[in-house]
Structures are given as structure tokens and as C-alpha cells.
Amino acid sequence: MSDDTSGRMSGPRAVDVSLRAVTEADLEVFFEQERDPEATRRSRFPARERERFMTHWRTRVLGDPTVLVRAVVVDGEVAGNVVAWWEGERRFIGYWFGRAFWGRGVGTRALALFLGEEKARPLYADPFSGNTGSVRLLEKSGFRREGTVLHGEAEHIMFVLDEL
């Protein structure tokens, strides 16, 4: 499967992947995606209760001008999000995709589009070590392993995307 500069994937499972600004209505979709038990198991990121989730998104994500966040849209449907934020001196990225969009090349294309907008380097990510889909996505996107970190008792892999 190949892709062109428009974000349109070609091949038997072709999907149109694009990024856009996050709207208030997207938060409902993101909330439901975060509640997926398989997604929380793979990410080792526990689902938050509704008010905590909405407050976090409205204040710490959408309300912070240093955060870059995009909704990922596939064939007109909100598939998830990609976000970059500062933790001290490090710029991190994270993403979350609804299960219906896993294994279809959506993450690869969405991250490529996002990295075209997010110019900060180095850029860091730290997925749970057992989340093979996320680990593979970062490797395919040019990130290299830098070590491991613990979040609670869960081991995460620290990835970095160096200067271009």
C-alpha cells in the first residue's frame, strides 16, 4: 500500500486520512475511545471518569496554546487524535485511535501528517512496552529507542525523533 501527498492511501484497504482542528463534539468521540477496555489494556492508560476527562481536554489540551492537537479523520469519521505537549524541556507526542481504525495504516499516515505540522525536535514518545502497535508505529515513523521508563509498575519505552 502506498500513499500520496493528499493523505489518500492506495491499495485494497484505501482510506482517506486527514487532520483538522479539534472541536467540542470531538471530545465525546475521544471520551468513548478512551473507555475501550482493549485500548486501555494495551496502552496501560486508565480511562478517566467523564468530568475529569473533559476538564483535562478543555483546560490542559485545548486551553494550552503550547499544545498542538489534531483530530484524525478517516473517510469523514473521527478516528482519534494526535497531540504534542511540553513536559519540562521535552516535547512529547501522543495519540489515540478508535479500535475500528487499528491495523489499517491510519496511525502511520496520521502521524506522518502531524509530524509535518509539528516542527519541534527532538520529539519524545513513551508507549507501554507491550503495546506493539504503538511501538511499531513510532519505529516506522523514524523514532529511535532511547531507553525505558517506569510509569507506576508499567515499563514504557522512551523514543526520540531527532533533528531532521
Side-chain angles (χ1 to χ4, degrees):
M1 189 173 350
S2 64
D3 58 288
D4 62 29
T5 58
S6 70
R8 176 90 181 145
M9 303 293 292
S10 62
R13 298 183 302 168
V15 291
D16 183 24
V17 178
S18 62
L19 303 180
R20 64 162 171 73
V22 172
T23 67
E24 184 72 20
D26 295 335
L27 300 184
E28 293 296 331
V29 176
F30 300 163
F31 176 68
E32 290 304 319
Q33 289 171 341
E34 185 178 287
R35 294 169 40 99
D36 181 321
E38 182 61 14
T40 58
R41 184 189 71 76
R42 288 184 186 205
S43 67
R44 293 298 194 269
F45 188 87
R48 294 168 280 198
E49 63 85 19
R50 180 183 193 75
E51 193 55 39
R52 187 168 162 232
F53 177 91
M54 294 298 177
T55 298
H56 172 82
W57 268 88
R58 289 177 180 134
T59 60
R60 299 198 56 206
V61 180
L62 298 176
D64 183 341
T66 70
V67 170
L68 175 63
V69 61
R70 295 290 180 257
V72 178
V73 179
V74 174
D75 295 330
E77 185 178 352
V78 176
N81 62 79
V82 185
V83 60
W85 70 94
W86 289 101
E87 280 187 25
E89 299 296 313
R90 289 183 167 183
R91 184 81 164 165
F92 275 83
I93 64 152
Y95 38 81
W96 199 280
F97 302 102
R99 193 189 318 193
F101 302 95
W102 297 356
R104 298 174 50 196
V106 171
T108 301
R109 187 64 191 139
L111 191 52
L113 291 169
F114 188 81
L115 292 174
E117 289 187 49
E118 175 56 59
K119 301 300 185 185
R121 303 289 187 274
L123 196 56
Y124 296 86
D126 61 348
F128 171 61
S129 59
N131 188 343
T132 56
S134 188
V135 167
R136 183 69 190 120
L137 170 59
L138 291 165
E139 290 172 338
K140 288 191 315 187
S141 300
F143 285 75
R144 67 174 170 78
R145 292 173 187 235
E146 187 175 73
T148 58
V149 294
L150 288 177
H151 293 293
E153 295 180 14
E155 181 180 88
H156 290 242
I157 302 169
M158 183 63 71
F159 280 91
V160 63
L161 181 64
D162 293 309
E163 299 291 332
L164 297 175

